[in-house]
Amino acid sequence: MALLAVKNLKKTYSTRFGSVKVNALTNVNFTVESGEFIAIMGESGSGKTTLLNILATLDKPTGGEVLLDDRSLLTIPEKQIAAFRRDNMGFVFQDFNLLDTFSLRDNIYLPLVLAGKKPAEMENRIQPITERLGITKILDKFPYEVSGGQKQRAAVARALITEPRIVLADEPTGALDSHSADALLEIFRDINSTGQTILMVTHSVKAASMAGRVLFLRDGEIFHQLYRGERSKEEMFAVISDTLTTMAAGGDRDE
């Protein structure tokens, strides 16, 4: 059984008076196995953000369904959605979403505090994660006192500390310089090697070339999917670039 299953997913937006309808997603189908690292790519307006928002239970589809561990996200009562999201999903955003009035430590602890965890358990969880991410020595600093790369590492720690079933990352390297972006991608690959499932939306070919599979969206549909197989990062980079060129040129999508 797949960890995550997306079945016949559709999302249609209407203008204020309903005179114009926009199909953001049209019959999207794919599965995610436990331990996969998947990148989702596509031009602006292709449906990437809409898809991620639905997977994150921040939006609801017009049709179809999403199942996590064979449980439909559409059946979760509204009052339980926040707790379900906190217990099952970790989030990494382009703009970090850290609270400036909290230290990095308290930012990382926040989802555990909301879940009612005891201080001893929080301390036991944070130590191995922050050591692995190389931020243990700066945990008492505030976000405005550290670099963008360090902020994003703290955001990754916050996403991992709840031991989520899946990490959802939205353009995680978008606000980073090239050195920090490369370091973060290596962290993602290391985290994935321990069995953590990651689903990442990105415009970056370099970021996508770290994934084990790449889904390409165009006009709200899956245009193509690419498996790493035995390809190196360099080979993945080249094949992803070629696929994006084909998409931009109006090539036919996979059937």
Side-chain angles (χ1 to χ4, degrees):
M1 181 183 71
L3 171 63
L4 184 76
V6 177
K7 299 183 177 181
N8 305 316
L9 202 64
K10 299 177 178 64
K11 180 64 178 182
T12 302
Y13 293 102
S14 300
T15 57
R16 183 177 178 184
F17 299 105
S19 58
V20 178
K21 295 184 183 297
V22 177
N23 294 319
L25 296 174
T26 306
N27 200 35
V28 173
N29 292 272
F30 66 93
T31 58
V32 178
E33 300 297 328
S34 180
E36 277 200 280
F37 181 4
I38 297 178
I40 300 175
M41 301 195 78
E43 296 180 346
S44 297
S46 62
K48 302 188 306 299
T49 299
T50 299
L51 176 60
L52 195 70
N53 286 342
I54 291 174
L55 298 183
T57 67
L58 297 171
D59 196 1
K60 292 185 177 181
T62 307
E65 62 179 344
V66 178
L67 299 104
L68 182 65
D69 282 331
D70 210 32
R71 180 185 183 184
S72 174
L73 303 189
L74 296 178
T75 65
I76 303 171
E78 195 66 33
K79 62 182 180 180
Q80 296 177 16
I81 281 287
F84 176 86
R85 191 184 300 130
R86 184 182 63 235
D87 293 343
N88 291 278
M89 300 173 182
F91 299 92
V92 181
F93 304 95
Q94 177 176 337
D95 57 359
F96 320 127
N97 279 18
L98 299 175
L99 299 175
D100 279 338
T101 55
F102 281 23
S103 67
L104 297 186
R105 184 191 306 275
D106 288 340
N107 268 286
I108 296 167
Y109 277 157
L110 186 57
L112 296 186
V113 172
L114 294 174
K117 301 298 183 182
K118 295 181 178 179
E121 180 178 350
M122 293 193 291
E123 182 62 31
N124 287 336
R125 287 201 195 187
I126 197 173
Q127 185 175 358
I129 294 173
T130 56
E131 286 181 357
R132 191 193 207 168
L133 296 177
I135 56 173
T136 303
K137 294 181 179 180
I138 62 169
L139 288 179
D140 292 321
K141 291 184 178 292
F142 290 83
Y144 54 82
E145 297 178 306
V146 302
S147 69
Q150 290 169 326
K151 288 179 187 178
Q152 196 60 296
R153 290 183 186 216
V156 171
R158 182 185 56 195
L160 294 176
I161 202 166
T162 60
E163 300 173 351
R165 301 289 288 137
I166 186 168
V167 169
L168 301 175
D170 188 8
E171 299 285 0
T173 62
L176 303 179
D177 60 56
S178 60
H179 176 75
S180 296
D182 289 347
L184 181 70
L185 292 172
E186 288 295 338
I187 287 169
F188 268 43
R189 187 163 69 167
D190 176 57
I191 292 167
N192 174 245
S193 72
T194 66
Q196 178 64 61
T197 308
I198 302 173
L199 193 63
M200 173 179 67
V201 165
T202 183
H203 278 100
S204 168
V205 176
K206 192 172 190 178
S209 65
M210 302 291 281
R213 178 160 51 121
V214 184
L215 298 176
F216 298 89
L217 286 182
R218 186 177 72 180
D219 299 330
E221 299 182 272
I222 293 181
F223 174 83
H224 181 60
Q225 62 177 330
L226 173 67
Y227 287 87
R228 169 179 293 281
E230 299 299 318
R231 293 186 178 97
S232 66
K233 286 187 293 183
E234 295 74 19
E235 290 169 333
M236 276 292 280
F237 188 99
V239 178
I240 292 169
S241 296
D242 289 345
T243 302
L244 292 173
T245 299
T246 300
M247 290 172 62
D252 294 335
R253 71 179 183 88
D254 288 348
E255 297 297 337

